[in-house]
Amino acid sequence: MKMPDTSSPPPILGLEAVTAAMVPLVGGKAANLGELLAAGLPVPDGFCLTTEAYREATAGGPLAEVHPALKATPDGDLPALAALASRARNSIQNAPVPTEVAAAVEAAYAALGDNVPVAVRSSATAEDLPSASFAGQQDTYLNVVGAAAVVEAVRDCWASLWTDRAVSYRASRGIDPAVVSLAVVVQRMVDATAAGVLFTANPLTGRRKQAVIDASPGLGEAVVSGAVNPDHFVVDPLTGRVLERRLGDKRIAVRPIPGGGTRTLAISNGGAAACLTDKQAVELAAMGHRVEGHFGSPQDIEWAIAGDGRLWLTQSRPITTLFPVPQRAAGVGTPGGEGTRVYLCFSLAQGLTRPITPMGLAAFRLIASSVARAAQFDVPEPRRGPSPYAVAGQRIYFDLTAVARSTTGRRIVPRVFDVMEARSATVLRRVFEDPRFSVTRRTPLGLLRHGVPAAVHAGVPETLLRAIFRPDAALRRTNRRAREFANSLEPPAGFTPLQRLDYAEHVFGTRIFSVVPSILPLPALGFAALALAGKLLGGGRWEDLQTVLRGLPNNVTTEMDLELWRLAQVIKNDGGSRAAVTDRKPAELAEEFRAGQLPAVLQSGLARFLGQYGHRAVAEIDVGMPRWSDDPTHILGVLANYLRLEDSALAPDVQFSNAAEEAEACVERLVAEARSRGWLRGTVVRAALRRARLFAGLRELPKYQLVVGLAEVRKQLALAGAALAAAGVVDEADDVFFLDLDEARAGLSSGTADFRGLVAQRRADYALELERRHVPRVLLSDGTEPEAVPSAGAAAASTVPGALTGSPASAGVVTATARVILDPVGARLEPGEILVAPSTDPGWTPLFLTAGGLVMEMGGPNSHGAVVAREYGIPAVVGVPDATLRLSTGQEITVDGGAGTVVPS
């Protein structure tokens, strides 16, 4: 039923005339149905009432007055949004459908047959798209019979564009109400004996090419609405094998009523037999595989089987909840050939849950390439990263398949993650049990071939020997090298914008990692010495050894936090400065600081602090993130928190000093205990514990130096960005961080480049990724998230009812109110509250100074948050799955940092 071409968009199109390019005219649902028809797939015939009809029906009416009011209403003001949504619905429902539109609907309906039952479905212009699924936001009407009833259903669909839920959803995403419109699909009804949904990838585990089918008798509304426990099938569409079959009770069915409408019927003994045969399930899976192949991405499909056994597809949309599969840069081969690969999320291992900007990813490709080259691996194109480097969801992943297939890798890597990110270690060990990753390399020759020359070249043996025999000299040497590195970073004056890009690439690719090998052996030795002392003391001394690590010296992050605390005390004693910090918003204070208009004590004190630590930031390993010197809002918020601390006994400097004294007393006690079992044992334990306290705090220094380098490069990139903005290549200087180095160079060189559209799209993609709450720490190349696959015979993790379990990180027990914080910028933590966070990096640690305890979703006993918690003597449990979802602000919880449990009251 193709409509003739006209000068303006037609009000109605036959579904066979609809294509994917028509989304603004027909909406996502209709566009996808048209694509299915074009691919030769079975779709009930019908037509689409376009957005042109909606605009004609609503133009010039009361709805136009609602649009600006909605746009001006904050997304958090739900009552106001609901009132405006009600006005919008009423304006549509009380207005007549334009005569021309109603006549076109009646004619198109008559072409389907005499009083044929149809389904009338909303098709929004922002619905069923890969970037944002609005599924279920607008209404559907089933078994509509008669032209007049179809016209009314169309009007009801239009009105459903303005439900409270849909309006608040769009407001939360900043969608302009004036640009939203709705198309409506009218399709011949399938008198279904069974219907339901089909996912062409497993939505729970993420595994691609694994069809998951939910089915129930009658119309699919029962499954889609969640009103029934359906039959559940998991099918391999490539082999045609049913992998799982679980029958639901299917206590109800939705059936059409003769003359129009539906009713819900109770079914007795609905769970006795499946409503699909295995053959039908396999046919559905194969059909889904065809649909996915056509659209090029996993699909969420609604289907129905008619009384004659014929299969029909009634809807298809992308599955938006799947985490992307890690991808290599174009032109870089997969290490070790094809087959299933295993990837570890480096971003999470660094405590970073948020996405990384395009320039940040470009930086890490070069940094990773420099590390690989230092280990004498071949890296043909450093700008694309070494072969194990991959990206998924704008996070960094590394291919660990070679590790999984190596006896040495299996032994070493999980142990490293036991102290870095314990949940990753657990998942990796499960992956190693998978027969697809059987060991193929049983000797450490490969590791030695690459690792030993690199270590020798970096002077690691010399550093370790000096640390063992002359620890103070080793510490002085490391601190001197760190200062030299920082002082050598600033480039010569007078660089052109292109030279600044060249300089950035040089620092990323050759210099920024070079300082790490001179530092890393010392904290590694410190923790090894602690482990040695534990063995000499007889093992089982976890709490004592953790006490030794309290109040550690030489920790740059702890020193930074204490310096900020000292600044707070200075501000506290200056009336004008204290009033400014406590009475005004941090963002306002930040603006006044940049203008030099803060009270003198606050202005000068903050300037001194930022002069020393302004290169730091939240998510600081991303060069695209503003530094504190760029925007001190976060620091000003932390200062306000500090000023609320009234109990002098809880002062961070007092707690740190007490923790250090407690640690030194513990060392003396342990040495005395060792000496009671022999002079030599006591001497070795003292030497080991001294080196543990001297060097363990240096674990923060390698990353600190990396961030020093990133901050200097960020300055140079921002200057290059200003040149790009002046040339009209981008809108503003910071847009350079949404390009990579090659694109920025092209923009400066061509004179005609325009990357504004590219930057806008990348900023939108980045904003969407910021909303993602769950990031898999380990992924397989088929999309499977091993942590989401139930382990056979998994036992309860704790005998305490309702307890959440994780890894013990800092001994002690505290019962207090939880405060769930997802982003530290602007966050407020009352003194004594338990901080519950997804993860932490140094940007979070100022909050620790007033925290009574710490719970983290990620991390291991020696992850950043755990170490700082121990230094400040606050109980901490890390690696607690979904802690930020399972705990809530204001809830009283008990954190046992020795047992690794979190018990809600």
Side-chain angles (χ1 to χ4, degrees):
M1 185 176 56
K2 293 186 178 180
M3 305 298 294
D5 291 336
T6 61
S7 57
S8 60
I12 287 181
L13 286 171
L15 286 179
E16 73 278 5
V18 171
T19 68
M22 297 180 179
V23 169
L25 183 64
V26 300
K29 186 179 281 90
N32 290 347
L33 289 172
E35 287 292 315
L36 292 176
L37 277 168
L41 292 157
V43 173
D45 59 338
F47 59 90
C48 174
L49 201 67
T50 68
T51 55
E52 184 67 18
Y54 168 83
R55 292 192 178 94
E56 183 178 342
T58 58
L63 183 61
E65 301 172 4
V66 178
H67 290 160
L70 276 172
K71 190 173 183 179
T73 303
D75 60 7
D77 191 348
L78 298 182
L81 290 174
L84 290 168
S86 178
R87 280 181 57 190
R89 291 194 302 274
N90 290 337
S91 72
I92 293 174
Q93 289 170 331
N94 294 332
V97 176
T99 303
E100 299 82 357
V101 173
V105 171
E106 291 167 1
Y109 174 70
L112 293 178
D114 185 23
N115 282 337
V116 61
V118 293
V120 182
R121 306 176 189 272
S122 303
S123 182
T125 53
E127 181 184 44
D128 301 331
L129 304 179
S131 59
S133 176
F134 284 62
Q137 296 288 349
Q138 282 79 50
D139 288 347
T140 288
Y141 299 91
L142 301 178
N143 199 44
V144 180
V145 179
V150 171
V151 171
E152 284 302 310
V154 165
R155 180 161 55 185
D156 289 340
C157 283
W158 287 341
S160 74
L161 184 62
W162 302 98
T163 62
D164 295 356
R165 181 180 68 241
V167 167
S168 63
Y169 184 92
R170 293 193 295 266
S172 69
R173 282 150 181 79
I175 298 173
D176 187 350
V179 304
V180 175
S181 59
L182 191 77
V184 179
V185 173
V186 179
Q187 277 181 290
R188 187 188 300 272
M189 278 287 294
V190 178
D191 188 7
T193 59
V197 295
L198 158 67
F199 292 90
T200 65
N202 194 314
L204 299 179
T205 67
R207 183 169 181 176
R208 272 56 165 184
K209 306 303 184 227
Q210 191 175 79
V212 177
I213 302 166
D214 284 343
S216 71
L219 303 180
E221 178 66 16
V223 175
V224 174
S225 66
V228 66
N229 291 325
D231 291 340
H232 179 80
F233 297 83
V234 180
V235 181
D236 185 332
L238 302 180
T239 64
R241 188 162 61 96
V242 176
L243 306 174
E244 182 183 340
R245 182 190 305 101
R246 186 174 68 245
L247 301 188
D249 56 29
K250 305 184 294 295
R251 294 180 180 178
I252 64 168
V254 177
R255 303 283 190 186
I257 301 172
T262 62
R263 59 180 174 175
T264 300
L265 302 175
I267 299 177
S268 59
N269 204 25
C275 62
L276 285 183
T277 66
D278 281 5
K279 181 180 178 182
Q280 288 173 318
V282 169
E283 182 185 356
L284 263 171
M287 186 77 71
H289 184 60
R290 286 181 59 192
V291 174
E292 179 180 303
H294 178 75
F295 286 110
S297 65
Q299 296 289 301
D300 169 3
I301 299 166
E302 293 183 22
W303 55 269
I305 295 178
D308 61 2
R310 188 174 181 187
L311 169 63
W312 295 93
L313 304 180
T314 59
Q315 191 165 297
S316 184
R317 56 178 170 260
I319 306 175
T320 58
T321 57
L322 292 173
F323 195 84
V325 175
Q327 298 291 325
R328 296 288 302 114
V332 179
T334 301
E338 297 302 322
T340 305
R341 320 293 302 176
V342 56
Y343 294 91
L344 178 81
C345 186
F346 175 80
S347 295
L348 285 186
Q350 290 296 309
L352 186 62
T353 57
R354 63 186 294 142
I356 298 176
T357 60
M359 188 63 78
L361 293 173
F364 266 100
R365 287 196 294 271
L366 286 167
I367 294 169
S369 294
S370 73
V371 175
R373 290 199 308 270
Q376 299 187 354
F377 287 98
D378 183 35
V379 185
E381 299 181 74
R383 293 180 188 176
R384 296 182 175 180
S387 57
Y389 177 97
V391 173
Q394 300 174 34
R395 280 89 175 173
I396 299 171
Y397 282 79
F398 280 102
D399 188 331
L400 292 190
T401 310
V403 169
R405 295 190 177 281
S406 163
T407 300
T408 305
R410 288 184 172 211
R411 186 163 52 245
I412 294 176
V413 171
R415 291 181 181 177
V416 172
F417 278 94
D418 279 334
V419 296
M420 279 184 60
E421 218 290 300
R423 283 173 63 186
S424 294
T426 300
V427 180
L428 283 173
R429 289 187 174 100
R430 285 183 58 185
V431 169
F432 295 164
E433 297 172 359
D434 190 324
R436 290 177 292 179
F437 302 110
S438 58
V439 172
T440 58
R441 183 173 297 172
R442 302 186 182 278
T443 69
L445 294 179
L447 176 64
L448 295 174
R449 184 171 65 251
H450 291 285
V452 171
V456 171
H457 179 74
V460 171
E462 178 189 357
T463 300
L464 287 174
L465 287 171
R466 182 179 288 106
I468 293 171
F469 295 107
R470 299 179 60 203
D472 293 325
L475 181 62
R476 287 193 299 271
R477 185 169 184 261
T478 293
N479 287 333
R480 184 177 67 254
R481 286 189 171 183
R483 288 192 300 271
E484 291 170 352
F485 173 75
N487 293 335
S488 68
L489 282 172
E490 188 173 355
F495 266 16
T496 67
L498 279 171
Q499 287 174 321
R500 297 186 192 282
L501 292 180
D502 292 337
Y503 175 76
E505 186 165 345
H506 167 69
V507 173
F508 289 146
T510 61
R511 296 216 47 210
I512 205 165
F513 182 75
S514 63
V515 72
V516 172
S518 66
I519 300 172
L520 198 56
L522 297 188
L525 175 66
F527 285 108
L530 186 72
L532 172 63
K535 288 186 178 180
L536 292 174
L537 290 165
R541 307 302 292 269
W542 167 259
E543 289 196 21
D544 284 334
L545 295 180
Q546 296 311 300
T547 300
V548 170
L549 295 179
R550 290 187 173 180
L552 285 173
N554 306 315
N555 186 316
V556 288
T557 301
T558 302
E559 292 167 358
M560 175 192 74
D561 293 341
L562 292 175
E563 184 64 29
L564 190 59
W565 170 255
R566 285 188 283 271
L567 173 58
Q569 300 316 294
V570 172
I571 292 169
K572 187 176 184 179
N573 294 323
D574 180 74
S577 297
R578 178 172 184 168
V581 173
T582 55
D583 297 343
R584 300 175 54 200
K585 294 180 179 180
E588 296 175 4
L589 295 175
E591 286 293 332
E592 293 192 11
F593 171 75
R594 284 188 282 266
Q597 297 174 350
L598 290 176
V601 170
L602 176 58
Q603 182 78 30
S604 61
L606 183 57
R608 283 193 301 273
F609 177 83
L610 294 177
Q612 189 171 2
Y613 297 108
H615 61 280
R616 309 214 72 170
V618 175
E620 61 191 1
I621 64 171
D622 181 359
V623 74
M625 290 296 292
R627 309 290 109 172
W628 287 339
S629 57
D630 299 324
D631 182 4
T633 301
H634 173 53
I635 292 301
L636 287 160
V638 174
L639 287 171
N641 279 344
Y642 285 176
L643 292 177
R644 284 195 289 270
L645 185 61
E646 299 293 342
D647 188 346
S648 60
L650 296 177
D653 53 351
V654 173
Q655 291 203 62
F656 183 80
S657 177
N658 291 340
E661 291 177 7
E662 184 182 354
E664 293 295 346
C666 183
V667 168
E668 294 303 320
R669 177 169 54 81
L670 294 177
V671 169
E673 178 184 329
R675 278 182 175 168
S676 69
R677 299 164 61 185
W679 174 84
L680 181 60
R681 184 184 298 263
T683 300
V684 174
V685 167
R686 176 179 288 281
L689 293 180
R690 182 185 174 226
R691 283 154 181 78
R693 286 195 54 74
L694 191 64
F695 295 140
L698 292 172
R699 72 179 298 276
E700 294 289 327
L701 190 56
K703 182 178 180 181
Y704 182 90
Q705 294 303 112
L706 290 176
V707 173
V708 168
L710 289 175
E712 181 56 48
V713 172
R714 178 180 167 82
K715 292 179 186 176
Q716 303 307 314
L717 290 172
L719 291 170
L724 287 169
V729 177
V730 296
D731 287 327
E732 54 190 61
D734 275 359
D735 285 348
V736 71
F737 299 110
F738 286 85
L739 303 173
D740 61 26
L741 287 164
D742 289 340
E743 290 162 345
R745 188 173 283 107
L748 290 171
S749 301
S750 72
T752 59
D754 185 349
F755 288 141
R756 289 174 295 182
L758 176 64
V759 168
Q761 182 59 55
R762 287 180 176 171
R763 283 190 178 275
D765 294 342
Y766 182 82
L768 282 174
E769 280 298 328
L770 280 173
E771 296 182 6
R772 193 186 294 276
R773 290 290 304 277
H774 175 69
V775 179
R777 49 192 21 83
V778 177
L779 272 174
L780 304 187
S781 55
D782 64 2
T784 301
E785 182 184 351
E787 195 173 18
V789 178
S791 58
S798 173
T799 58
V800 180
L804 284 64
T805 60
S807 298
S810 180
V813 179
V814 61
T815 299
T817 300
R819 172 79 62 174
V820 177
I821 297 178
L822 302 179
D823 187 337
V825 177
R828 178 172 176 171
L829 186 70
E830 298 293 341
E833 287 184 327
I834 296 171
L835 171 62
V836 181
S839 64
T840 63
D841 63 13
W844 287 75
T845 54
L847 293 172
F848 286 32
L849 296 183
T850 56
L854 172 68
V855 178
M856 293 195 327
E857 291 183 335
M858 289 163 289
N862 282 318
S863 60
H864 174 268
V867 170
V868 176
R870 284 196 297 272
E871 291 177 1
Y872 291 5
I874 61 174
V877 180
V878 300
V880 181
D882 300 322
T884 61
L885 296 175
R886 299 166 69 184
L887 300 174
S888 57
T889 295
Q891 182 180 20
E892 189 174 85
I893 62 175
T894 298
V895 175
D896 186 334
T901 60
V902 182
V903 182
S905 299

